[in-house]
Amino acid sequence: MTEPRPAMPHPTVRTSPAALTVAVGGELDHGTGHDLVGVVVGHLAPGVRDVRLDLTGLTRIDPLGLAALLLLHRHTSGVRATLHLDNRPDALDRVLRQTNVLAHLTAPVSGHRPPARAVTVAPRHGGDPETRR
């Protein structure tokens, strides 16, 4: 019989008007990743520009834990906050590089989005598309 793995301790959260810091320890997997996303999203507030995950205590991450980090990035980018993965263990860096998401997860969020480009589409069969039936 295998011994159960220890669960991630409840993340420690520190907040300031412009930053949210969450200390992550233990394993990051399906259950703990879901909990981490809930904690971060629950603490996101207007004006938060930086979300810092202190990963000093992270011991293991599985594919669903990686999915949780990607989901966090989506949430933080949605409110124009930058996600920081501080004190990454070497094992996490390897996973992030192997999956080619390190730059994506750690890229700063710009304060503005480039304007959308107009695209002109020509009709496939010539003529006015409104007159064709």
Short mmCIF file of all heavy atoms in Angstrom, two decimals, residues 82-121:
data_model
loop_
_atom_site.label_atom_id
_atom_site.label_comp_id
_atom_site.label_asym_id
_atom_site.label_seq_id
_atom_site.Cartn_x
_atom_site.Cartn_y
_atom_site.Cartn_z
N THR A 82 0.28 41.47 -13.57
CA THR A 82 1.37 40.60 -13.99
C THR A 82 1.55 39.48 -12.98
O THR A 82 1.61 39.73 -11.77
CB THR A 82 2.69 41.40 -14.13
OG1 THR A 82 2.49 42.42 -15.11
CG2 THR A 82 3.83 40.50 -14.56
N LEU A 83 1.61 38.24 -13.47
CA LEU A 83 1.86 37.08 -12.62
C LEU A 83 3.36 36.87 -12.51
O LEU A 83 4.06 36.81 -13.52
CB LEU A 83 1.20 35.83 -13.22
CG LEU A 83 1.40 34.52 -12.46
CD1 LEU A 83 0.74 34.60 -11.08
CD2 LEU A 83 0.82 33.36 -13.26
N HIS A 84 3.85 36.79 -11.27
CA HIS A 84 5.28 36.55 -11.02
C HIS A 84 5.41 35.19 -10.35
O HIS A 84 4.71 34.91 -9.37
CB HIS A 84 5.86 37.62 -10.08
CG HIS A 84 5.72 39.01 -10.59
ND1 HIS A 84 6.66 39.60 -11.40
CD2 HIS A 84 4.74 39.93 -10.41
CE1 HIS A 84 6.27 40.84 -11.69
NE2 HIS A 84 5.10 41.05 -11.10
N LEU A 85 6.31 34.37 -10.85
CA LEU A 85 6.59 33.07 -10.25
C LEU A 85 7.94 33.18 -9.54
O LEU A 85 8.99 32.92 -10.13
CB LEU A 85 6.61 31.97 -11.32
CG LEU A 85 5.35 31.85 -12.18
CD1 LEU A 85 5.51 30.75 -13.23
CD2 LEU A 85 4.13 31.60 -11.32
N ASP A 86 7.90 33.59 -8.29
CA ASP A 86 9.12 33.86 -7.53
C ASP A 86 9.66 32.59 -6.90
O ASP A 86 8.91 31.70 -6.49
CB ASP A 86 8.83 34.89 -6.44
CG ASP A 86 8.39 36.23 -6.99
OD1 ASP A 86 8.72 36.55 -8.14
OD2 ASP A 86 7.70 36.96 -6.25
N ASN A 87 10.99 32.54 -6.78
CA ASN A 87 11.69 31.44 -6.09
C ASN A 87 11.31 30.08 -6.66
O ASN A 87 11.01 29.15 -5.92
CB ASN A 87 11.42 31.51 -4.58
CG ASN A 87 11.79 32.85 -4.01
OD1 ASN A 87 12.89 33.35 -4.24
ND2 ASN A 87 10.88 33.46 -3.29
N ARG A 88 11.32 29.99 -8.00
CA ARG A 88 10.94 28.73 -8.66
C ARG A 88 11.99 27.66 -8.38
O ARG A 88 13.17 27.88 -8.61
CB ARG A 88 10.84 28.93 -10.17
CG ARG A 88 9.73 29.86 -10.59
CD ARG A 88 9.58 29.91 -12.09
NE ARG A 88 10.80 30.19 -12.81
CZ ARG A 88 11.18 31.40 -13.20
NH1 ARG A 88 10.43 32.44 -12.93
NH2 ARG A 88 12.30 31.55 -13.88
N PRO A 89 11.55 26.47 -7.95
CA PRO A 89 12.48 25.36 -7.82
C PRO A 89 12.97 24.93 -9.21
O PRO A 89 12.27 25.13 -10.21
CB PRO A 89 11.64 24.24 -7.19
CG PRO A 89 10.36 24.86 -6.76
CD PRO A 89 10.20 26.14 -7.50
N ASP A 90 14.16 24.34 -9.26
CA ASP A 90 14.72 23.90 -10.54
C ASP A 90 13.79 22.95 -11.28
O ASP A 90 13.67 23.02 -12.50
CB ASP A 90 16.08 23.22 -10.31
CG ASP A 90 17.15 24.21 -9.88
OD1 ASP A 90 16.98 25.44 -10.11
OD2 ASP A 90 18.15 23.77 -9.29
N ALA A 91 13.13 22.07 -10.54
CA ALA A 91 12.23 21.10 -11.18
C ALA A 91 11.08 21.82 -11.90
O ALA A 91 10.67 21.42 -12.99
CB ALA A 91 11.69 20.12 -10.16
N LEU A 92 10.56 22.88 -11.31
CA LEU A 92 9.49 23.64 -11.96
C LEU A 92 10.01 24.34 -13.20
O LEU A 92 9.36 24.33 -14.24
CB LEU A 92 8.88 24.66 -10.99
CG LEU A 92 7.82 25.59 -11.60
CD1 LEU A 92 6.64 24.79 -12.16
CD2 LEU A 92 7.36 26.60 -10.58
N ASP A 93 11.19 24.92 -13.11
CA ASP A 93 11.78 25.57 -14.29
C ASP A 93 11.92 24.58 -15.44
O ASP A 93 11.64 24.92 -16.59
CB ASP A 93 13.14 26.19 -13.96
CG ASP A 93 13.04 27.65 -13.58
OD1 ASP A 93 11.93 28.21 -13.64
OD2 ASP A 93 14.08 28.23 -13.24
N ARG A 94 12.36 23.36 -15.14
CA ARG A 94 12.50 22.34 -16.18
C ARG A 94 11.15 22.06 -16.85
O ARG A 94 11.04 22.00 -18.07
CB ARG A 94 13.09 21.05 -15.62
CG ARG A 94 14.60 21.10 -15.48
CD ARG A 94 15.19 19.72 -15.19
NE ARG A 94 14.70 19.14 -13.95
CZ ARG A 94 15.20 19.41 -12.75
NH1 ARG A 94 16.20 20.27 -12.62
NH2 ARG A 94 14.71 18.84 -11.67
N VAL A 95 10.11 21.90 -16.04
CA VAL A 95 8.77 21.62 -16.58
C VAL A 95 8.30 22.79 -17.43
O VAL A 95 7.77 22.60 -18.53
CB VAL A 95 7.77 21.34 -15.44
CG1 VAL A 95 6.33 21.34 -15.96
CG2 VAL A 95 8.08 20.01 -14.77
N LEU A 96 8.51 24.01 -16.96
CA LEU A 96 8.07 25.19 -17.70
C LEU A 96 8.82 25.33 -19.02
O LEU A 96 8.24 25.75 -20.03
CB LEU A 96 8.22 26.45 -16.85
CG LEU A 96 7.36 26.52 -15.59
CD1 LEU A 96 7.68 27.78 -14.80
CD2 LEU A 96 5.89 26.42 -15.91
N ARG A 97 10.10 24.97 -19.03
CA ARG A 97 10.87 25.03 -20.28
C ARG A 97 10.47 23.90 -21.22
O ARG A 97 10.33 24.12 -22.42
CB ARG A 97 12.37 24.98 -19.97
CG ARG A 97 12.91 26.27 -19.44
CD ARG A 97 14.43 26.29 -19.38
NE ARG A 97 14.88 27.56 -18.86
CZ ARG A 97 15.16 27.79 -17.58
NH1 ARG A 97 15.06 26.84 -16.69
NH2 ARG A 97 15.56 28.98 -17.19
N GLN A 98 10.31 22.69 -20.69
CA GLN A 98 9.93 21.56 -21.54
C GLN A 98 8.57 21.77 -22.20
O GLN A 98 8.35 21.34 -23.32
CB GLN A 98 9.89 20.26 -20.73
CG GLN A 98 11.26 19.75 -20.34
CD GLN A 98 11.18 18.58 -19.38
OE1 GLN A 98 10.15 18.31 -18.78
NE2 GLN A 98 12.29 17.89 -19.22
N THR A 99 7.66 22.41 -21.50
CA THR A 99 6.33 22.64 -22.04
C THR A 99 6.24 23.97 -22.79
O THR A 99 5.18 24.32 -23.31
CB THR A 99 5.27 22.61 -20.92
OG1 THR A 99 5.63 23.57 -19.92
CG2 THR A 99 5.17 21.23 -20.31
N ASN A 100 7.35 24.70 -22.81
CA ASN A 100 7.45 25.95 -23.56
C ASN A 100 6.47 27.02 -23.06
O ASN A 100 5.92 27.78 -23.85
CB ASN A 100 7.27 25.70 -25.06
CG ASN A 100 7.92 26.78 -25.89
OD1 ASN A 100 8.87 27.41 -25.45
ND2 ASN A 100 7.39 27.00 -27.07
N VAL A 101 6.24 27.08 -21.75
CA VAL A 101 5.34 28.09 -21.20
C VAL A 101 6.02 29.05 -20.23
O VAL A 101 5.36 29.94 -19.71
CB VAL A 101 4.09 27.45 -20.52
CG1 VAL A 101 3.25 26.70 -21.52
CG2 VAL A 101 4.48 26.59 -19.35
N LEU A 102 7.31 28.91 -20.03
CA LEU A 102 8.01 29.78 -19.09
C LEU A 102 7.86 31.25 -19.49
O LEU A 102 7.44 32.08 -18.68
CB LEU A 102 9.50 29.43 -18.99
CG LEU A 102 10.33 30.31 -18.05
CD1 LEU A 102 9.82 30.21 -16.63
CD2 LEU A 102 11.80 29.94 -18.13
N ALA A 103 8.16 31.58 -20.73
CA ALA A 103 8.07 32.97 -21.18
C ALA A 103 6.62 33.47 -21.12
O ALA A 103 6.36 34.61 -20.75
CB ALA A 103 8.63 33.12 -22.59
N HIS A 104 5.69 32.61 -21.47
CA HIS A 104 4.28 32.99 -21.44
C HIS A 104 3.82 33.34 -20.03
O HIS A 104 3.16 34.35 -19.81
CB HIS A 104 3.42 31.85 -22.01
CG HIS A 104 1.96 32.08 -21.89
ND1 HIS A 104 1.28 33.01 -22.65
CD2 HIS A 104 1.02 31.49 -21.10
CE1 HIS A 104 0.00 32.99 -22.34
NE2 HIS A 104 -0.18 32.08 -21.39
N LEU A 105 4.18 32.51 -19.08
CA LEU A 105 3.74 32.72 -17.70
C LEU A 105 4.44 33.88 -17.01
O LEU A 105 3.90 34.45 -16.07
CB LEU A 105 3.94 31.44 -16.87
CG LEU A 105 2.98 30.31 -17.14
CD1 LEU A 105 3.36 29.09 -16.31
CD2 LEU A 105 1.55 30.72 -16.83
N THR A 106 5.62 34.23 -17.47
CA THR A 106 6.40 35.25 -16.77
C THR A 106 6.51 36.56 -17.54
O THR A 106 7.20 37.47 -17.10
CB THR A 106 7.81 34.72 -16.45
OG1 THR A 106 8.46 34.33 -17.66
CG2 THR A 106 7.75 33.54 -15.50
N ALA A 107 5.83 36.67 -18.68
CA ALA A 107 5.89 37.91 -19.47
C ALA A 107 5.09 39.00 -18.78
O ALA A 107 4.01 38.75 -18.25
CB ALA A 107 5.34 37.66 -20.87
N PRO A 108 5.61 40.22 -18.78
CA PRO A 108 4.85 41.32 -18.18
C PRO A 108 3.61 41.61 -19.01
O PRO A 108 3.59 41.41 -20.21
CB PRO A 108 5.82 42.50 -18.22
CG PRO A 108 6.85 42.15 -19.23
CD PRO A 108 6.90 40.65 -19.32
N VAL A 109 2.58 42.06 -18.33
CA VAL A 109 1.34 42.43 -19.00
C VAL A 109 1.44 43.89 -19.38
O VAL A 109 1.76 44.73 -18.53
CB VAL A 109 0.13 42.20 -18.06
CG1 VAL A 109 -1.15 42.72 -18.69
CG2 VAL A 109 0.01 40.74 -17.72
N SER A 110 1.19 44.20 -20.63
CA SER A 110 1.26 45.60 -21.04
C SER A 110 0.01 46.32 -20.59
O SER A 110 -1.05 45.73 -20.42
CB SER A 110 1.41 45.69 -22.57
OG SER A 110 0.25 45.22 -23.20
N GLY A 111 0.14 47.61 -20.39
CA GLY A 111 -0.99 48.41 -19.94
C GLY A 111 -1.99 48.73 -21.03
O GLY A 111 -3.07 49.20 -20.77
N HIS A 112 -1.60 48.45 -22.25
CA HIS A 112 -2.54 48.71 -23.35
C HIS A 112 -2.44 47.60 -24.36
O HIS A 112 -1.46 46.91 -24.46
CB HIS A 112 -2.22 50.05 -24.00
CG HIS A 112 -0.91 50.05 -24.73
ND1 HIS A 112 0.30 50.14 -24.08
CD2 HIS A 112 -0.61 49.95 -26.04
CE1 HIS A 112 1.28 50.10 -24.96
NE2 HIS A 112 0.75 49.98 -26.16
N ARG A 113 -3.48 47.46 -25.11
CA ARG A 113 -3.50 46.46 -26.17
C ARG A 113 -3.36 47.18 -27.51
O ARG A 113 -3.89 48.26 -27.68
CB ARG A 113 -4.81 45.67 -26.13
CG ARG A 113 -4.94 44.88 -24.87
CD ARG A 113 -6.23 44.08 -24.88
NE ARG A 113 -6.45 43.51 -23.56
CZ ARG A 113 -6.29 42.23 -23.29
NH1 ARG A 113 -5.94 41.39 -24.20
NH2 ARG A 113 -6.50 41.79 -22.07
N PRO A 114 -2.65 46.55 -28.46
CA PRO A 114 -2.54 47.21 -29.76
C PRO A 114 -3.91 47.28 -30.42
O PRO A 114 -4.76 46.42 -30.19
CB PRO A 114 -1.58 46.29 -30.53
CG PRO A 114 -1.59 44.99 -29.81
CD PRO A 114 -1.97 45.29 -28.39
N PRO A 115 -4.13 48.32 -31.22
CA PRO A 115 -5.43 48.43 -31.87
C PRO A 115 -5.63 47.28 -32.85
O PRO A 115 -4.68 46.79 -33.45
CB PRO A 115 -5.36 49.78 -32.60
CG PRO A 115 -3.91 50.12 -32.69
CD PRO A 115 -3.23 49.40 -31.57
N ALA A 116 -6.87 46.87 -33.00
CA ALA A 116 -7.19 45.80 -33.93
C ALA A 116 -6.97 46.31 -35.35
O ALA A 116 -7.25 47.47 -35.66
CB ALA A 116 -8.63 45.36 -33.73
N ARG A 117 -6.46 45.43 -36.19
CA ARG A 117 -6.25 45.80 -37.59
C ARG A 117 -7.50 45.48 -38.38
O ARG A 117 -8.12 44.44 -38.19
CB ARG A 117 -5.07 45.01 -38.16
CG ARG A 117 -3.77 45.39 -37.54
CD ARG A 117 -2.61 44.71 -38.18
NE ARG A 117 -2.99 43.67 -39.12
CZ ARG A 117 -2.17 42.80 -39.64
NH1 ARG A 117 -0.92 42.82 -39.31
NH2 ARG A 117 -2.57 41.89 -40.49
N ALA A 118 -7.82 46.35 -39.28
CA ALA A 118 -8.96 46.10 -40.16
C ALA A 118 -8.55 45.08 -41.21
O ALA A 118 -7.43 45.12 -41.74
CB ALA A 118 -9.41 47.38 -40.83
N VAL A 119 -9.42 44.16 -41.51
CA VAL A 119 -9.14 43.14 -42.51
C VAL A 119 -10.22 43.23 -43.57
O VAL A 119 -11.41 43.24 -43.28
CB VAL A 119 -9.16 41.73 -41.87
CG1 VAL A 119 -8.95 40.67 -42.93
CG2 VAL A 119 -8.12 41.65 -40.78
N THR A 120 -9.77 43.31 -44.83
CA THR A 120 -10.70 43.34 -45.93
C THR A 120 -10.71 41.97 -46.58
O THR A 120 -9.66 41.42 -46.90
CB THR A 120 -10.28 44.40 -46.98
OG1 THR A 120 -10.17 45.65 -46.31
CG2 THR A 120 -11.27 44.48 -48.12
N VAL A 121 -11.89 41.43 -46.75
CA VAL A 121 -12.01 40.10 -47.34
C VAL A 121 -12.69 40.25 -48.69
O VAL A 121 -13.81 40.79 -48.79
CB VAL A 121 -12.83 39.16 -46.45
CG1 VAL A 121 -12.99 37.81 -47.09
CG2 VAL A 121 -12.19 39.07 -45.09
#
